[in-house]
Amino acid sequence: MRDIQDPIYYGKVRLSKNFYLPTDRFILLISAITAIIIFFIGISLKLYESYINLAILILATYLLGVLPYIIYKSRRDIEIRRIIDAYPSFLNDLGEAISSGMTLLQAMKHVSNLNYGPLSKYIKKLYVWLSWNIEFEKAFEMFNRYFLDIPTIQIVNKMILQSYISGGDFSKTLKTVAIDLLNIRDLEKLRDAYISQQKMVMYVVFFIFLGLIVAILMVIQPIVSSFSTIQASSQLGITFGSIDLRWLKIISSIAIIMQAISIAIIIGITESGKIISSFKHLGITSLVSIIIILIFLLPPSIQINLSIYPTSAYIGQSVTINVEGSIDAKAINNELVTIKILGPTTQTFTAMFINGKATVTYTPQIVGNYTVEAVYIYSNREYKATSSFRVT
């Protein structure tokens, strides 16, 4: 791979002899490939058998696919802001040095020894080219290629180069451009402050939307789970069937994802006028959405209820133990439940859920207090319900 400081290939990664890919796209490509490999390894290890393991796998895959790109873009944005802030000082110092009687090469040597933050490395490179007797026009054009993603500096540098070619007081031009650039920077800071307020409002709207979706589901879920079949009839004979909680969760998840995409696009266009700026915000909104979905929406709602009749029995009297179970308000079918009777004697029974119900009959032979525990295993996790009865 060529020297990264070479302006022709700066910000690019060589993939073949004549093919170069921008660094941000290369990072995104490698991250996506790595994430896909990790995801298929997790699937091959059957992590999907446990919801917690599957959720961790999905989150880890997403972070591997997106986080490196977001970190790179964030660091690059910080570097760009620091370069823009330092550029007026660089132009003004260069103009002052030339005004004091220095040659252009001497002035460049002087400013190359000053600290302009991340801008300094590019200034040093320009001075090295000039010290190699490369013409200023050619050296400055190569220097300007380092700022292809900073339109403001691109325009300023073209103005400076035109002024140098046309002749005149070059130092005065540099100072004037520095003042203009300071004024532009101040205006952009005012604009950024206003846009930051708008971005904050849109993020707040997004989080409020997430909170409302989660709150609504938290209210509806226990109601639907308690009444797995809710029907209401009117005088007109209209009947409403049962609510499918799983579909409700899926629809809510899709709504959250669509909201995350929409908000990211709006924020990106508001920020820079370009839709490409949305990707950084999409990484943030989609990450939050995935976490909310995995924690609050998609986990299955398991309901296990235990009832005993009678709760006070005599020796030799049959006690009926009923277990009711549902997953996301859907009755459990053809699944086993373990019923443990703990007391003066301990016994364990296994029953089958049929249409959400499993029944066991127990005849106690010893006086005492008994505790009944129903255990249902789903995705390697135990769900329990307990109750008790007394034998006299």
Side-chain angles (χ1 to χ4, degrees):
M1 187 171 65
R2 295 179 182 269
D3 184 1
I4 196 170
Q5 293 298 322
D6 188 336
I8 299 176
Y9 305 100
Y10 180 72
K12 296 180 180 179
V13 176
R14 182 178 180 179
L15 298 181
S16 64
K17 184 177 181 179
N18 297 313
F19 182 68
Y20 294 84
L21 194 66
T23 304
D24 56 345
R25 297 181 186 178
F26 175 77
I27 291 174
L28 189 60
L29 177 64
I30 295 300
S31 299
I33 293 174
T34 304
I36 291 172
I37 292 173
I38 293 298
F39 182 77
F40 279 105
I41 290 175
I43 294 299
S44 65
L45 295 175
K46 296 183 178 181
L47 296 181
Y48 55 84
E49 292 181 352
S50 169
Y51 178 81
I52 294 177
N53 291 338
L54 179 60
I56 293 173
L57 175 63
I58 293 173
L59 189 58
T61 301
Y62 184 83
L63 289 175
L64 284 173
V66 175
L67 196 59
Y69 176 80
I70 294 176
I71 293 174
Y72 173 81
K73 292 296 290 183
S74 298
R75 294 182 63 182
R76 180 58 182 165
D77 288 345
I78 293 172
E79 182 181 5
I80 287 174
R81 286 196 295 270
R82 294 180 63 190
I83 289 173
I84 293 174
D85 289 341
Y87 213 78
S89 298
F90 158 62
L91 296 179
N92 187 67
D93 292 343
L94 182 61
E96 290 288 350
I98 295 174
S99 297
S100 68
M102 294 183 185
T103 64
L104 180 57
L105 182 60
Q106 291 173 334
M108 281 301 307
K109 182 179 180 180
H110 168 70
V111 296
S112 68
N113 292 322
L114 300 178
N115 183 16
Y116 298 103
L119 179 62
S120 295
K121 58 185 177 183
Y122 306 112
I123 296 173
K124 291 181 186 295
K125 194 69 176 179
L126 176 59
Y127 167 68
V128 170
W129 290 331
L130 293 175
S131 67
W132 291 347
N133 294 322
I134 298 176
E135 294 181 357
F136 178 78
E137 296 93 325
K138 183 177 180 181
F140 202 73
E141 284 180 354
M142 292 191 297
F143 172 73
N144 200 27
R145 291 184 66 90
Y146 286 123
F147 311 108
L148 291 176
D149 54 349
I150 313 178
T152 302
I153 293 181
Q154 279 272 302
I155 295 171
V156 166
N157 285 347
K158 289 178 181 178
M159 293 171 57
I160 293 171
L161 188 58
Q162 288 298 321
S163 174
Y164 179 83
I165 294 173
S166 62
D169 192 342
F170 188 53
S171 63
K172 184 178 180 180
T173 299
L174 291 173
K175 294 176 185 178
T176 302
V177 171
I179 294 172
D180 292 340
L181 193 56
L182 280 172
N183 293 331
I184 293 173
R185 187 188 66 181
D186 291 339
L187 289 173
E188 287 183 346
K189 285 185 176 180
L190 289 174
R191 172 184 172 274
D192 291 342
Y194 173 76
I195 290 177
S196 295
Q197 295 177 358
Q198 304 305 313
K199 287 161 54 178
M200 184 63 65
V201 169
M202 284 183 276
Y203 270 114
V204 169
V205 170
F206 173 65
F207 286 115
I208 290 175
F209 177 81
L210 293 182
L212 287 174
I213 290 291
V214 172
I216 290 171
L217 277 179
M218 292 299 102
V219 172
I220 291 178
Q221 188 165 298
I223 298 174
V224 177
S225 298
S226 298
F227 305 97
S228 58
T229 304
I230 301 176
Q231 292 183 339
S233 301
S234 69
Q235 293 180 349
L236 297 177
I238 301 175
T239 302
F240 300 93
S242 62
I243 297 176
D244 194 329
L245 189 57
R246 293 179 181 177
W247 274 109
L248 187 60
K249 289 182 175 182
I250 292 173
I251 292 171
S252 300
S253 300
I254 293 173
I256 287 176
I257 292 173
M258 294 301 296
Q259 178 76 356
I261 295 172
S262 302
I263 286 290
I265 291 174
I266 294 171
I267 294 175
I269 294 176
T270 302
E271 186 178 53
S272 65
K274 299 178 181 179
I275 196 169
I276 194 171
S277 300
S278 305
F279 286 103
K280 179 177 66 178
H281 299 286
L282 180 60
I284 297 171
T285 57
S286 58
L287 175 60
V288 174
S289 298
I290 289 175
I291 292 174
I292 293 296
I293 290 171
L294 290 177
I295 294 176
F296 295 103
L297 269 65
L298 292 187
S301 175
I302 311 296
Q303 294 290 325
I304 301 295
N305 298 314
L306 180 63
S307 61
I308 300 173
Y309 181 81
T311 56
S312 180
Y314 299 101
I315 293 177
Q317 181 181 2
S318 297
V319 176
T320 302
I321 302 170
N322 293 313
V323 183
E324 295 183 352
S326 64
I327 302 175
D328 288 334
K330 293 292 184 181
I332 301 174
N333 261 316
N334 301 321
E335 297 279 348
L336 294 176
V337 59
T338 300
I339 300 173
K340 299 178 181 179
I341 301 176
L342 309 173
T345 59
T346 299
Q347 284 188 267
T348 301
F349 300 89
T350 300
M352 180 78 72
F353 277 118
I354 303 296
N355 293 326
K357 294 183 179 180
T359 302
V360 168
T361 301
Y362 173 68
T363 304
Q365 301 297 328
I366 302 176
V367 174
N369 294 319
Y370 291 77
T371 299
V372 181
E373 184 180 82
V375 180
Y376 172 66
I377 299 176
Y378 181 82
S379 295
N380 297 324
R381 182 178 176 183
E382 290 187 350
Y383 295 87
K384 298 180 180 180
T386 60
S387 186
S388 61
F389 66 94
R390 179 179 176 81
V391 177
T392 59

